[in-house]
Amino acid sequence: MTVIVPEPVLVENDQEVVDGGALDLDGGFVVPDSNAFGHSFRDYEKQSQRKAAVEEFYRINHLNQTYEFAKKKKEEYGKLSKAEMSIWECCELLNEFVDESDPDLDEPQIEHLLQTAEAIRRDYPDHDWLHLTALIHDLGKVLLHSSFGGEPQWCVVGDTFPLGCAFDESIVHHQVMKENMTTLPPAALFIVRFHSFYSLHRSGAYTYLMDDDDKEMLKWLQIFNKYDLYSKSKVRVDVEKVKPYYMSLFNKYFPEKLRW
């Protein structure tokens, strides 16, 4: 995924982003020692059954993700004319896909969404908007589905990086909700858009592109990131047990049907 458009204006709404006092950046989450394959997380050099596939993914991704290509796709999908469905229906479409860019997990994407959301829900029980943000953060991968055009994985998944400037060395292998009238707070939109921008929020690259609002939202992104990355496991979430809770959040923050 690439970034080519200006930052959105962060408008205040009736959702409280921080509940008074200092923001707890830890949340009590214990980072595991290894991923589902027994290796360090995001280790792109470690020999594993996923290494060759991930390397090939990023080779094709970096060759094809040009500025003009990204502009064309933004125009195409910005029309929101592909489908009309609920968020849960969209989540279920992700059952068919495994992210080829991810060295840490080979489970269907809906499992990753639920694992992330449930881990954050345990540590931040009073921030329901953050639970929902975790559940929907990867819904852009629905572009892989045939009903949305069946885009190749190199076009849809992987780390985020800016176009129109040189690759930073921190980029792996360097050698759209507002239109549906969501009431999620600005921090949620920032998380969804930039959660894969690891060269920024982990390595500190491209900070010259940030303004004061970006720096404030980055605090929430850094909270979210550890759950997105380290909650991946082979332990399945009981979908039917947690589904009613997330359905209630869809109703709270989104219309019943969304344009995609």
Side-chain angles (χ1 to χ4, degrees), residues 84 129 171 178 182:
E84 184 172 310
W129 67 267
I171 294 176
K178 294 174 68 176
T182 180

Side-chain angles (χ1 to χ4, degrees), residues 80-190:
L80 300 180
S81 59
K82 297 293 183 180
E84 184 172 310
M85 65 181 71
S86 69
I87 294 179
W88 191 262
E89 288 172 323
C90 188
C91 288
E92 290 180 329
L93 292 181
L94 295 183
N95 257 330
E96 302 177 26
F97 302 106
V98 173
D99 188 336
E100 292 178 0
S101 72
D102 191 344
D104 297 323
L105 192 65
D106 58 358
E107 296 292 334
Q109 282 300 293
I110 193 170
E111 288 296 324
H112 168 53
L113 300 183
L114 288 168
Q115 288 171 354
T116 306
E118 285 295 286
I120 290 181
R121 183 181 174 190
R122 285 192 295 270
D123 289 349
Y124 293 89
D126 298 326
H127 293 78
D128 65 357
W129 67 267
L130 193 56
H131 313 161
L132 180 55
T133 301
L135 186 67
I136 67 174
H137 78 276
D138 268 348
L139 286 190
K141 293 176 182 178
V142 74
L143 299 185
L144 299 170
H145 198 273
S146 58
S147 60
F148 287 83
E151 295 285 2
Q153 291 232 0
W154 63 259
C155 173
V156 179
V157 305
D159 281 10
T160 296
F161 55 91
L163 294 170
C165 58
F167 276 15
D168 188 88
E169 290 185 0
S170 59
I171 294 176
V172 174
H173 295 302
H174 67 276
Q175 290 88 350
V176 264
M177 294 185 297
K178 294 174 68 176
E179 295 299 323
N180 276 296
M181 307 304 291
T182 180
T183 58
L184 283 169
L189 307 184
F190 189 91

